[in-house]
Amino acid sequence: MRAHTRTRRALATAVTAAGATVLLLAGCAQDPKEGPDKGAPAGAKAQTTLTVGVFGAFGLQEAGLYDEYMAQNPGIRIEQTSIERNENYYPQLLTHLGTGSGLADIQAVEVNNIAEITSTQADKLVDLGKAPGVDKASYLPWKWAQGTAGAAKGGATVGLGTDIGPQGICYRKDLFEAAGLPGDRAAVGALWAGDWNKYLEAGKAYKAKAGEGKAFVDSASGVMAAVTGSSAQRFYDDQGKVVYKTNPAVRGAFDLAASFSTEGLSAKLQQFTPAWDQGFANGSFATVSCPAWMLGYIQDKAGPAGKDKWDVAQAPKPSNWGGSFLVVPKAGKHTEEAAKLAAWLTAPAQQAKLFEKRGSFPSASAAYKLPTVSGAQHAYFGGAPIGEIFAKAAEGVPVTVVGPKDLVIAQNLADIGMLQVDQKGRSPQEGWEAAVKAIDNALDQ
């Protein structure tokens, strides 16, 4: 499970918000040769150049937010550089923080890396909780907590959240109805409301009518990620100790997800592979755990034939998958102006615009009342009220302990442990032991 590659996938999502249809478009990472300040007023003399370092098609530039800020602040010029993949971007960021050189005025940080940043690099970053215009009450408590260092590090909020990945369950209405299950999204959500085990039971009911070879979920690892994402404590405790091996929530999620494989409910596909992509087009599975940003991915892979066949319902429990932050290094040349820009880019109004134009769901809960979010509907998914569905999920996500090696643990549980079960036919216990061995080796390095 490479969660760090999932938040910046190319999306093409049709959304109806407050009666107007708009396209949520995602492109490629910026060509550094392109002019970043084309939105500045003609003849304006740039006094301060602020640099922003991101990974992938982060969305801020593509949504026109830099242009808007420069138009409002003629003395500011914004230049963005982007490295395509976070696994290449993040090690460089750590190196630059260590040397205090080579840093942009604002740097993006992926959610799976934020705990390491707050625990080891907080003293090198500006406290954005004190930046002008920042109101803690406007943000989801759990997202704010992720960007805040512990008391031992001064308790500074060094990361302001951009997007998040609240999850629903995307499902094929036609396949559900053919198997005798309801197609209406409210009735579908009621099948498993409040309990991930009910999701498994719904899968068994689906298989009983749909027959052999009709998979209910895309993969067991996708289920595991969704279940662990709904737990307040996962891989670390609140003292920073690794506890995944003894935490019943983690082992329970692993065993539950493995049951989707052993019960014959999984299509046994590895996510973000060509076979998985083709599965959307072929109707190879009836459901997939999907955060808000995956809607455009499904639309792209399922194509026109999937329109009105796919829909989205509430997940059994609120869960999050993905998201990012902005930080301001103290070593930057313009920390005061950079903090103002970071605060503006992550303010509710701008997050709502980012959602409207790019499909990135806001981490600022104050944005949920704005029409572009509250009234958002998705034409491809049968007019599903995605603003309402994902806002409800986001507000229910628990404040989760995120550790510095969360990604390492999650990847090995999925790519080593669950893959053993889902694709190689090993027992859940064998899969678990393989994952634990791989994780212990990785953490010892």
Side-chain angles (χ1 to χ4, degrees):
M1 179 187 67
R2 292 172 173 80
H4 58 307
T5 66
R6 295 174 173 177
T7 57
R8 302 292 166 203
R9 297 282 171 174
L11 308 180
T13 307
V15 171
T16 303
T21 300
V22 296
L23 292 179
L24 307 183
L25 301 176
C28 300
Q30 174 200 359
D31 184 340
K33 297 179 181 178
E34 295 179 359
D37 60 343
K38 61 183 178 180
K45 183 178 180 181
Q47 299 173 346
T48 301
T49 297
L50 296 178
T51 55
V52 183
V54 303
F55 50 91
F58 203 79
L60 301 174
Q61 177 173 273
E62 295 87 344
L65 295 183
Y66 297 158
D67 289 343
E68 183 178 347
Y69 190 82
M70 289 187 290
Q72 295 176 12
N73 300 270
I76 298 294
R77 181 185 180 203
I78 303 172
E79 294 183 349
Q80 176 181 287
T81 58
S82 177
I83 294 176
E84 184 176 356
R85 299 175 67 85
N86 184 53
E87 50 262 51
N88 297 324
Y89 166 88
Y90 182 64
Q92 292 186 32
L93 174 59
L94 287 180
T95 298
H96 293 317
L97 284 170
T99 62
S101 63
L103 290 157
D105 293 301
I106 296 175
Q107 298 275 179
V109 178
E110 208 268 350
V111 64
N112 286 299
N113 303 125
I114 193 63
E116 185 171 21
I117 291 294
T118 59
S119 62
T120 67
Q121 307 294 327
D123 58 334
K124 300 169 185 174
L125 302 171
V126 172
D127 185 353
L128 296 178
K130 299 178 180 178
V134 174
D135 179 10
K136 178 180 179 180
S138 296
Y139 296 83
L140 291 163
W142 59 268
K143 185 71 171 184
W144 183 272
Q146 287 178 341
T148 302
K153 295 292 182 179
T157 299
V158 297
L160 292 179
T162 55
D163 61 316
I164 55 174
Q167 296 200 77
I169 299 293
C170 291
Y171 67 99
R172 281 280 298 261
K173 288 182 289 189
D174 57 331
L175 298 182
F176 265 47
E177 291 170 349
L181 296 179
D184 174 75
R185 68 181 66 94
V188 169
L191 290 175
W192 49 64
D195 189 346
W196 284 103
N197 286 289
K198 292 181 180 178
Y199 186 43
L200 177 65
E201 294 306 312
K204 293 178 180 178
Y206 174 83
K207 179 184 176 181
K209 292 289 185 67
E212 293 294 330
K214 299 292 185 179
F216 183 66
V217 299
D218 61 319
S219 69
S221 61
V223 175
M224 182 178 62
V227 178
T228 55
S230 63
S231 298
Q233 187 180 97
R234 300 178 301 177
F235 310 138
Y236 288 77
D237 65 15
D238 55 9
Q239 302 301 310
K241 181 182 177 182
V242 176
V243 295
Y244 80 94
K245 281 188 280 190
T246 57
N247 183 2
V250 175
R251 183 58 193 267
F254 187 93
D255 288 343
L256 175 62
S259 294
F260 281 83
S261 182
T262 58
E263 293 285 347
L265 307 179
S266 171
K268 304 181 184 298
L269 298 171
Q270 187 169 13
Q271 294 184 326
F272 300 105
T273 63
W276 188 67
D277 292 347
Q278 191 62 42
F280 286 109
N282 295 342
S284 299
F285 45 87
T287 72
V288 59
S289 302
C290 63
W293 51 261
M294 194 187 284
L295 300 182
Y297 191 92
I298 294 174
Q299 179 177 345
D300 179 48
K301 301 305 178 184
K307 187 178 187 297
D308 292 325
K309 291 181 179 178
W310 280 97
D311 208 325
V312 56
Q314 293 285 353
K317 289 185 177 181
S319 178
N320 185 72
W321 176 7
S324 298
F325 298 79
L326 297 181
V327 302
V328 174
K330 290 180 179 178
K333 297 179 180 179
H334 309 290
T335 56
E336 184 176 346
E337 290 294 346
K340 290 179 182 178
L341 174 58
W344 186 87
L345 289 170
T346 57
Q350 279 64 254
Q351 291 205 24
K353 292 173 186 175
L354 191 62
F355 171 65
E356 179 184 12
K357 296 180 180 180
R358 300 284 299 175
S360 300
F361 204 79
S363 64
S365 52
Y368 301 164
K369 299 178 182 178
L370 300 178
T372 51
V373 179
S374 64
Q377 299 179 351
H378 203 303
Y380 187 86
F381 288 77
I386 59 172
E388 176 185 336
I389 289 171
F390 290 115
K392 182 178 180 181
E395 290 171 338
V397 173
V399 177
T400 304
V401 177
V402 180
K405 299 300 180 183
D406 260 34
L407 182 58
V408 171
I409 297 171
Q411 282 184 322
N412 281 288
L413 284 172
D415 293 347
I416 301 297
M418 196 55 65
L419 204 64
Q420 295 279 330
V421 179
D422 211 22
Q423 294 191 4
K424 297 184 178 181
R426 306 287 173 78
S427 70
Q429 181 62 27
E430 289 174 321
W432 175 261
E433 290 174 355
V436 167
K437 182 179 180 180
I439 292 167
D440 285 350
N441 288 337
L443 296 184
D444 286 341
Q445 294 177 359

